[in-house]
Amino acid sequence: MNLEQLHLAYCIEDDRILLKMALTAEIEGQAKQEIRIFITRRLLKNLWPVIMQALSTQISLDRPDAAFASQDLVQMAHHESVNAIKESGSFNTPYTEEARTSPLGDEPILLESIKFHLNVNQPLHMQLIPFNGGNIDMHFPSSILHGFCKLLQDAEQEAQWDLQLILPSSSIEQLGSGLLN
């Protein structure tokens, strides 16, 4: 199955973010699928730094010559990806609510953890591990992962969880202003 569409929205009644992943069929005639996952505040709080580290590490793996600037490159790639998605109109495209099978059941699953696997010049591999066992393997090319991060930021703001999901900043920005002698 291939990722067709992502949708994240805050569910006030559950105090969770609902992630819907629409998947296209790999074989013609095969049913499209949808996976629904709840993201809790605790999970997002722990997940965000790991995603940021994975983005930096992926740049270091793919471009060892630029490893020293990986945080700056993450910011640049994020802005480029988000702008490209905005220009294509994908952020404004409503989630397609169509008949899809739900291989994991009709109710959203609750995740216990997420594992990341990084390989040189390969999309980020995320292994989503629900409390009820099993796992869901997803591969996110960098541009999709940056879009996912933007959607997470927007949903977290809507939830008013005050997690301050920010991108890594360069060491120069972290120093702040001051007098150098």
Side-chain angles (χ1 to χ4, degrees), residues 116-150:
F116 291 81
H117 304 280
L118 302 168
N119 293 302
V120 177
N121 296 318
Q122 295 292 318
L124 177 81
H125 173 200
M126 287 174 53
Q127 193 173 36
L128 310 172
I129 303 167
F131 277 103
N132 61 356
N135 62 48
I136 304 158
D137 291 321
M138 298 298 300
H139 295 273
F140 284 100
S142 179
S143 60
I144 300 297
L145 186 58
H146 285 290
F148 177 65
C149 288
K150 172 67 172 130

Side-chain angles (χ1 to χ4, degrees), residues 28-78:
E28 193 170 326
Q30 190 179 34
K32 292 183 176 185
Q33 295 182 349
E34 180 180 78
I35 296 173
R36 291 181 216 105
I37 297 170
F38 273 138
I39 299 173
T40 62
R41 184 183 189 281
R42 179 192 59 80
L43 181 68
L44 183 55
K45 181 179 179 180
N46 294 325
L47 173 64
W48 188 260
V50 177
I51 291 175
M52 294 302 104
Q53 183 60 46
L55 286 168
S56 290
T57 302
Q58 190 68 52
I59 287 174
S60 297
L61 287 172
D62 294 346
R63 298 180 54 193
D65 58 321
F68 68 93
S70 63
Q71 292 181 339
D72 293 328
L73 292 173
V74 167
Q75 282 198 3
M76 287 174 29
H78 181 76

